[in-house]
Structures are given as structure tokens and as C-alpha cells.
Amino acid sequence: MLLRENNRVCKILGTKYPIIQGGMAWVANADLAAAVSNGGGLGIIAAANTPPEILEKEIIRAKSLIHDNKPFGLNIMLMSPTANDALEVAAAQRVPVVTTGAGSPGKVLERLKPLGTVVIPVIASVAQAKRVERQGADAVVAEGMEAGGHIGELTSMVLTPQISQAVKIPVICAGGVADGRGVVAAFALGAEGVQVGTRFICCDECTVHANYKQAVIDARDRSTAITGQSLGHPVRCLRNKLTAEFERLESENAPASEIEALGTGKLRAAVVDGDTEWGSLMSGQSAAMINDILPAKTIIENMFSDAEKILQNLGDVKK
Ligand code: TUI
């Protein structure tokens, strides 16, 4: 209970546990969001590049799957050409919480704060955290480069304490958090909540192809690679033929258009077709610590009960 007592993230979100699910493109649909929200966390639907009429249906489907009016959220990927459409869908559907990623969320805050939407930007530097606090963000997700997908430069270990010191709004730590140990570490660094992505790929309710889940389970400590650095948007994925080909093109200084083209359609290939050789298996470094597929609710409950046990043991050591 220690971790949940007077917790500002639980209060802001209206959740039992201070945990948000990552807004994983192609992965974070209504099924996953509902499982996490029903399990006591904040489930998130990823807008990614989804056309607005399909996104609207997915939000309505999530509402029907989530019990007792529990809260859920929408992640808007700001680099997407459909980001503005997603913003309007969030407003029209009165989505309770919106997280943003991969850009500056000024417009999202301007549009949604007057409606009472809780807006939580995902950021990767102290300057970004300070800026979004000034712009009216309710909390920030400090995302370290251990995370999967599009990442910044800094690790969670150094980013979280610096952001916690720099802003007054609650900080939610992301990147490398997959179990109770990560929760305790995040709180020790000044966070009041965690955002978890990769661990939820391996939950029963996640609808990604079984091959993708197995690739996460099989991953070891050095199984991820960062590609796209030369394009200015580094992306962390599990190593496979696709990442090797990215590395070859980038080392040969191939034209950006050729490197960009290699990535097209590859996340879908991994998630929908289960192509583990040429698909983009976006994943955080925590994949190495994930060994089973469990219900989302069990994942959340284990995470926080293990965290409480660790805290108790640390207290015993002190005495
Ligand atoms: O956005 C993410 N992770 C993502 S987005 C994504 S989809 C994608 N697919 C292919 C290529 C690129 C992306 C997969 N994973 N995480 C949140 C995050 N946001 N990490 C880093 C940032 C970030 C970066 C720059 C936030 C703000 C920012 O600049 C804001 C500014 O100051 O303009």
C-alpha cells in the first residue's frame, strides 16, 4: 500500500495503481487498453496513423469493454500526419486522458485542457519537461532510452531524477520498467508512477501475433538494436534481418529516402503477420526480463505486490 498511499498519479488518473500502459503503435488497441484499465492501471489506445473513423470505433469499443466506467487514455504520436485528426476524435469522444509522444504537445494542451482532459506528454529531456509543465501538462512521462520504439538519448536512471527535480507536476518513469524492481527504482528516482510498454506485449489480452510475443520472451540482455539514428529518429527494436539491413544501409551512408523506405510497413508485418525476420519488433531492453505471458491484471498486481515486498526488505536491512 505504501506506493499507492496519497499517490498523485492515482488521483489524477482515477486508477487503483499508478501505472500507465505505453502507447504502442499497432499493439495498443481497445483489447489491450481495456485489459490494463480493468486490471487497475490506465490502458491506452495508440492513435498512431489510424484514420479518424477507425480510431473513433476503437475508442467506442474500449468504452464497451471497460467495466465500471474506469478511465482509459489515447496516445497521440505527434509525428503522425493524422495527429490533428486524433486530437479531434479525443475531444469529441471525451477521452479522459491523452498522452503524447515524439513531438511538442502545445496544440494538444491548448485544445484539450479547456475540456478537462488530463494531458500527459511523454518526453525525453529536462527542457521538454519544463516546457510542457509551463504549458499546463498534468504530469509527464520521463522516457529513458531503455524503452522500445522511438527514443531519446538519456537513460531512465539519469533522466528521472533530473526531471523530478526540475518540475512540480508528477513524474511517471518509463523505459526499462517491467517488474516490481523497476517500480521501486522509479520511485527511488523521484517518480510517482510508471509507464510500461514491453511487459504488456506479453499479456494474454494483447492481440499481437504469437511470434512477436515469443521473440520478446526469447530476448536476452543485448537483443535490441537502435536503428534510424542517421535519420534523426532513433528506434529501438529486437535485432533481426531488418535491423541488420538498417545497420548496413546506415553504415554505407545510404540516402535517407532508401533507409526510410526500408521501414515502411514493417511494424504491421511484425504485429499482424508475425514476421520476426523482416518485421519491426519494437521492444524495450526490458524484454530480457520478460519470461511469460500472463493476464494484464496479474502483471499489474504482481508488479506492485513485489514492489511492496522489496520495500519491506529494504526497510529490514536498515534496522
Ligand atoms: O513516441 C514514442 N515512441 C514511439 S513513437 C513510435 S512510431 C514511429 N515509428 C517509426 C519511426 C518513428 C516513430 C514508436 N515509438 N515515445 C515517446 C517519446 N517522445 N520518446 C521521445 C519523445 C520525444 C522526442 C522529441 C518527445 C518530444 C520531442 O521533442 C519535442 C520538442 O521539443 O519538439
Side-chain angles (χ1 to χ4, degrees):
M1 276 297 288
L2 256 177
L3 291 161
R4 293 193 279 129
E5 269 161 36
N6 284 321
N7 181 279
R8 289 197 293 169
V9 173
C10 288
K11 282 198 190 114
I12 289 170
L13 302 177
T15 55
K16 180 171 179 187
Y17 297 98
I19 180 168
I20 299 187
Q21 172 227 315
M24 300 169 283
W26 280 96
V27 175
N29 59 10
D31 300 280
L32 181 59
V36 172
S37 285
N38 286 331
L42 189 86
I44 299 272
I45 295 169
N49 292 335
T50 312
E53 55 286 357
I54 296 176
L55 182 61
E56 185 181 55
K57 286 202 182 109
E58 203 59 14
I59 291 169
I60 292 167
R61 196 162 74 82
K63 286 178 181 169
S64 76
L65 292 171
I66 294 171
H67 312 142
D68 310 323
N69 232 356
K70 287 195 172 83
F72 70 101
L74 178 73
N75 175 267
I76 302 180
M77 212 277 270
L78 295 165
M79 272 179 2
S80 168
T82 61
N84 271 332
D85 297 330
L87 177 56
E88 287 313 316
V89 174
Q93 285 294 319
R94 299 280 177 196
V95 174
V97 183
V98 166
T99 64
T100 66
S104 190
K107 252 175 96 173
V108 176
L109 285 156
E110 241 172 66
R111 176 77 176 93
L112 296 181
K113 281 318 299 167
L115 304 179
T117 312
V118 171
V119 180
I120 306 181
V122 180
I123 46 84
S125 75
V126 173
Q128 289 163 2
K130 284 185 173 167
R131 184 173 353 122
V132 300
E133 178 179 58
R134 251 195 339 265
Q135 292 170 331
D138 295 279
V140 281
V141 174
E143 189 178 273
M145 55 86 84
E146 298 93 323
H150 175 57
I151 51 171
E153 282 175 33
L154 302 171
T155 60
S156 299
M157 186 77 137
V158 296
L159 185 65
T160 311
Q162 291 183 74
I163 292 185
S164 299
Q165 218 162 45
V167 300
K168 294 194 176 68
I169 53 177
V171 176
I172 297 163
C173 174
V177 183
D179 57 26
R181 296 169 298 184
V183 171
V184 173
F187 277 64
L189 297 173
E192 294 170 67
V194 291
Q195 180 193 270
V196 170
T198 308
R199 172 67 267 205
F200 287 124
I201 295 175
C202 291
C203 78
D204 287 327
E205 300 89 345
C206 178
T207 57
V208 306
H209 197 285
N211 294 353
Y212 199 144
K213 294 188 184 187
Q214 194 57 46
V216 171
I217 288 173
D218 292 342
R220 298 166 57 145
D221 55 351
R222 301 180 62 239
S223 292
T224 71
I226 302 171
T227 60
Q229 207 113 41
S230 65
L231 304 174
H233 48 84
V235 172
R236 185 184 298 284
C237 296
L238 295 178
R239 288 183 202 275
N240 60 7
K241 287 185 176 164
L242 177 70
T243 61
E245 183 63 7
F246 264 117
E247 276 161 3
R248 189 183 70 79
L249 289 178
E250 296 198 81
S251 71
E252 290 171 3
N253 293 316
S257 58
E258 196 180 333
I259 305 172
E260 296 269 14
L262 178 63
T264 307
K266 296 301 199 294
L267 184 56
R268 184 188 188 283
V271 171
V272 180
D273 308 329
D275 183 351
T276 52
E277 288 191 338
W278 287 100
S280 175
L281 296 164
M282 290 189 187
S283 164
Q285 290 181 320
S286 69
M289 304 187 289
I290 296 164
N291 305 308
D292 49 17
I293 299 170
L294 294 168
K297 186 172 194 284
T298 308
I299 291 173
I300 296 168
E301 287 171 354
N302 288 351
M303 217 176 256
F304 284 89
S305 66
D306 288 350
E308 295 286 352
K309 279 182 216 149
I310 294 167
L311 279 178
Q312 239 155 34
N313 290 339
L314 288 172
D316 287 346
V317 170
K318 225 168 43 188
K319 284 176 213 153

